[in-house]
Amino acid sequence: MNPPVLDPCCGSRMMWFDKSDDRAIFGDIRDEQVRIDDGRVLSVHPDMVMDFRHLPFEDESFYHVVFDPPHLTNLGARSTMAAKYGVLGRTWRDDLKAGFSECFRVVKPCGTLVFKWNEYAIPVRDVLALTPHRPLYGTRSGKQARTLWLVFIKDANE
């Protein structure tokens, strides 16, 4: 049986209070250690290597999914920002559309999905147009209020 929570784009687990919380499966497409510009080592070591566009779980496997995909474009492959957050490619619309679809597929009816997005490169309205699901509520954060935290609830009839 799976833990109740899935984070399919965990990166270095920056937002987690407990980076080894056993209530969650931490996934990422990367499994690596990178020395960033200031000399620190950034570690991305998921429980499972996975692609958020093709999640390796059965339908309705989780009560809660955290979807925090890369949000930056046009970064150098070796940049600190790319190491920390990943990079969206030219197919970002198709990738995020597939990611939303997969995240909603694996969340249980009446389960929740938290979506974290930073509008530095792409406005959230362009991203929300990629899913038929509507956010229940959310908030902005950060110095320039560019980071959004949106909460969705999966309809009981899906």
Side-chain angles (χ1 to χ4, degrees):
M1 186 167 159
N2 290 325
V5 178
L6 173 66
D7 181 350
C9 315
C10 71
S12 62
R13 308 178 192 191
M14 287 185 277
M15 70 178 164
W16 286 86
F17 288 109
D18 178 354
K19 294 180 187 324
S20 59
D21 196 314
D22 64 359
R23 296 172 293 181
I25 292 178
F26 296 97
D28 204 284
I29 201 163
R30 305 176 292 160
D31 187 353
E32 63 186 5
Q33 277 193 229
V34 179
R35 185 169 302 280
I36 57 178
D37 295 341
D38 65 5
R40 289 181 294 158
V41 174
L42 178 79
S43 295
V44 176
H45 295 301
D47 298 328
M48 294 175 64
V49 173
M50 67 181 71
D51 183 333
F52 67 74
R53 299 167 296 187
H54 308 283
L55 295 174
F57 302 103
E58 293 183 19
D59 296 356
E60 302 175 359
S61 295
F62 299 94
Y63 290 95
H64 183 78
V65 176
V66 178
F67 188 34
D68 180 14
H71 58 270
L72 298 169
T73 59
N74 302 319
L75 295 175
R78 303 308 256 165
S79 74
T80 296
M81 295 298 278
K84 283 184 168 183
Y85 302 110
V87 182
L88 287 173
R90 287 182 229 188
T91 60
W92 68 266
R93 284 179 182 84
D94 292 335
D95 296 340
L96 293 178
K97 185 175 183 174
F100 272 116
S101 180
E102 281 292 278
C103 287
F104 277 105
R105 180 184 66 77
V106 301
V107 75
K108 294 178 183 291
C110 297
T112 55
L113 181 145
V114 171
F115 177 64
K116 181 177 170 255
W117 187 255
N118 183 288
E119 291 188 301
Y120 180 82
I122 301 165
V124 73
R125 72 177 171 273
D126 293 352
V127 177
L128 291 178
L130 303 172
T131 182
H133 302 277
R134 296 178 305 131
L136 184 62
Y137 62 88
T139 191
R140 289 183 176 270
S141 64
K143 291 179 184 177
Q144 297 175 342
R146 285 186 179 166
T147 299
L148 290 102
W149 296 81
L150 303 175
V151 177
F152 295 79
I153 188 167
K154 185 174 179 178
D155 187 62
N157 299 321
E158 284 185 57

